[in-house]
Amino acid sequence: MSKHGRILVAMSGGVDSSVAAVMLHEEGYEVIGLTMKTWDYASSGTNSKETGCCSLDSINDARALAVGYGFPHYILDIRNEFGDFVIDNFVDEYLAGRTPNPCVLCNTHIKWEALLKRADKLDCEFIATGHYANIRKQDNGRYVISKGKDVNKDQSYVLWGVSQANLARTKFPLGSFSKPEIRQMALDMGQIELAGKSESYEICFVPDNDYRAFLRHKVEDLEERVGGGNYVLADGTIVGKHEGYPFYTIGQRKGLGIALGKPMFVTGINPTTNTVTLGTADELERKEAWVKNLNLIKYETIDQPLQAITKIRYKDAGTESTIVQMGEHMKVDFHHMVSGIAPGQSAVFYEENDLLGGGFLL
């Protein structure tokens, strides 16, 4: 009988989840490792070599570590669920002129559900991941996510959608450590190759981070359907032709293929008319945003104005704001102008280091 009970650990084969599994094993948990196969590159129409969390090498690395430490390891194929939900949504959002957030959707609707379903079958009380974030239970009974110690690696932004029921059974062993400390732990374990593994910042199912090529492969005759639309200014003046509205995102400056004598950015996308609006940096700025599909973490509701820091993208430092629920939406009033609010991306709210919740930008 283990000291702390049985725990299912999501293992990608990378240094973070591997060290998390070993930490829990050495703390006295009965660890079971699980690697989820979400995607294979053959489905993307690319010749790129498989890399990252879904590659055969990564799966073998996770299994080898588990065998070396004497705990079980399983592989779970969730490609069908992942493709039907995350990938279909990814394509649909770009076709709707929005910029999707697939990692949030995967965590919210696929990975946690798949982990807990398998945890129940294996009689595991808890699940654990290698995310850099912290979790605690408040006096009011709610489970609160807070930022990880390593500000450069903090991953709380992509966790806003996880439900209270799922958080109640979740552990984040790496929350109080920095990335260099985790690499050093791997070295101390004798895992030299693991400690030196590079990190992938790509979307796992988009080879070489080329989402445009991915869309072309997934959507038949896409370029013929959307190519040759108009670039327009805010007043409707046509200034050129673009390659197709799904290939652009709000705030984009590079790769526009047009010169107007000054820096221009994508400020609007209209799928109905296949137009892409260009404007100056000033025209990208907003002081207000609306957010849908809310999931609140720290408080059950925010029906009175609350001071918060709002992040509108993963690497955003965040902006002071006032937030308040208005029906099914959150109204965000920024205390100063913010640039590049992209519909479809996540808006995530913080109270100091605590995650208040989040949703998708309208």
Side-chain angles (χ1 to χ4, degrees):
M1 188 69 181
S2 70
K3 181 179 176 182
H4 295 299
R6 188 175 293 172
I7 188 166
L8 186 66
V9 183
M11 297 180 67
S12 67
V15 64
D16 297 329
S17 58
S18 297
V19 171
V22 173
M23 286 171 62
L24 292 166
H25 174 72
E26 293 182 342
E27 285 176 18
Y29 284 93
E30 183 183 347
V31 170
I32 299 175
L34 183 75
T35 301
M36 288 177 282
K37 177 76 170 174
T38 58
W39 178 251
D40 61 75
Y41 274 18
S43 303
S44 65
T46 179
N47 295 319
S48 299
K49 182 181 182 294
E50 271 198 317
T51 58
C53 62
C54 295
S55 70
L56 184 60
D57 286 346
S58 293
I59 292 170
N60 288 337
D61 288 347
R63 170 158 284 180
L65 184 98
V67 169
Y69 278 87
F71 58 83
H73 175 268
Y74 298 95
I75 300 166
L76 182 61
D77 188 339
I78 58 171
R79 284 175 291 180
N80 286 339
E81 303 99 297
F82 185 86
D84 289 344
F85 193 88
V86 178
I87 294 171
D88 288 355
N89 174 271
F90 183 83
V91 173
D92 290 346
E93 285 291 278
Y94 272 114
L95 293 181
R98 296 186 287 267
T99 306
N101 237 166
C103 295
V104 169
L105 278 183
C106 183
N107 286 333
T108 304
H109 297 286
I110 304 296
K111 284 189 176 179
W112 253 257
E113 297 299 329
L115 278 169
L116 285 166
K117 185 176 179 181
R118 184 51 62 96
D120 289 339
K121 290 183 178 179
L122 294 170
D123 198 26
C124 294
E125 182 181 0
F126 297 107
I127 62 170
T129 73
H131 286 92
Y132 286 83
N134 289 297
I135 188 169
R136 70 179 191 277
K137 186 178 183 180
Q138 293 192 133
D139 291 340
N140 65 2
R142 294 187 70 81
Y143 290 84
V144 181
I145 294 172
S146 58
K147 293 180 181 180
K149 170 187 172 180
D150 191 332
V151 294
N152 294 314
K153 283 293 297 177
D154 170 57
Q155 291 169 299
S156 58
Y157 175 88
V158 298
L159 298 171
W160 65 260
V162 183
S163 70
Q164 285 290 301
N166 290 353
L167 288 177
R169 296 178 62 187
T170 299
K171 293 187 179 296
F172 297 131
L174 306 190
S176 57
F177 297 92
S178 68
K179 182 73 177 199
E181 288 173 327
I182 296 302
R183 289 198 186 277
Q184 185 59 50
M185 286 183 192
L187 287 172
D188 294 343
M189 291 158 44
Q191 301 287 335
I192 297 172
E193 186 175 335
L194 178 67
K197 269 194 173 185
S198 61
E199 295 184 80
S200 173
Y201 295 98
E202 299 174 355
I203 298 169
C204 69
F205 57 87
V206 179
D208 304 321
N209 221 20
D210 186 354
Y211 84 89
R212 295 168 181 83
F214 182 82
L215 290 176
R216 291 184 187 103
H217 173 71
K218 294 294 288 185
V219 182
E220 188 176 356
D221 299 328
L222 178 61
E223 287 179 295
E224 288 79 1
R225 289 162 51 186
V226 301
N230 290 324
Y231 278 130
V232 300
L233 301 181
D235 62 5
T237 303
I238 296 172
V239 292
K241 297 290 184 181
H242 60 69
E243 296 180 5
Y245 74 86
F247 303 137
Y248 302 88
T249 59
I250 298 296
Q252 181 178 336
R253 176 183 172 185
K254 296 180 179 179
L256 299 179
I258 188 172
L260 296 176
K262 57 185 173 181
M264 298 294 279
F265 302 81
V266 174
T267 60
I269 298 169
N270 189 327
T272 303
T273 59
N274 191 18
T275 54
V276 175
T277 303
L278 302 180
T280 63
D282 288 346
E283 291 176 281
L284 263 181
E285 295 186 333
R286 303 283 187 274
K287 281 201 74 174
E288 180 184 282
W290 288 87
V291 182
K292 65 176 182 176
N293 299 127
L294 300 174
N295 185 55
L296 297 184
I297 302 289
K298 188 172 183 179
Y299 307 119
E300 188 173 351
T301 60
I302 302 177
D303 52 10
Q304 296 295 320
L306 181 67
Q307 303 303 301
I309 299 295
T310 298
K311 293 179 64 168
I312 60 168
R313 61 183 69 87
Y314 179 53
K315 288 298 184 182
D316 181 17
T319 303
E320 290 185 2
S321 58
T322 302
I323 63 174
V324 63
Q325 275 180 268
M326 309 282 282
E328 296 181 352
H329 298 131
M330 188 77 77
K331 184 173 185 285
V332 184
D333 290 307
F334 296 103
H335 294 181
H336 57 79
M337 290 288 190
V338 297
S339 181
I341 295 175
Q345 285 283 289
S346 291
V348 183
F349 318 116
Y350 292 87
E351 190 172 55
E352 296 183 345
N353 286 326
D354 288 347
L355 180 61
L356 292 168
F360 294 112
L361 287 159
L362 283 166

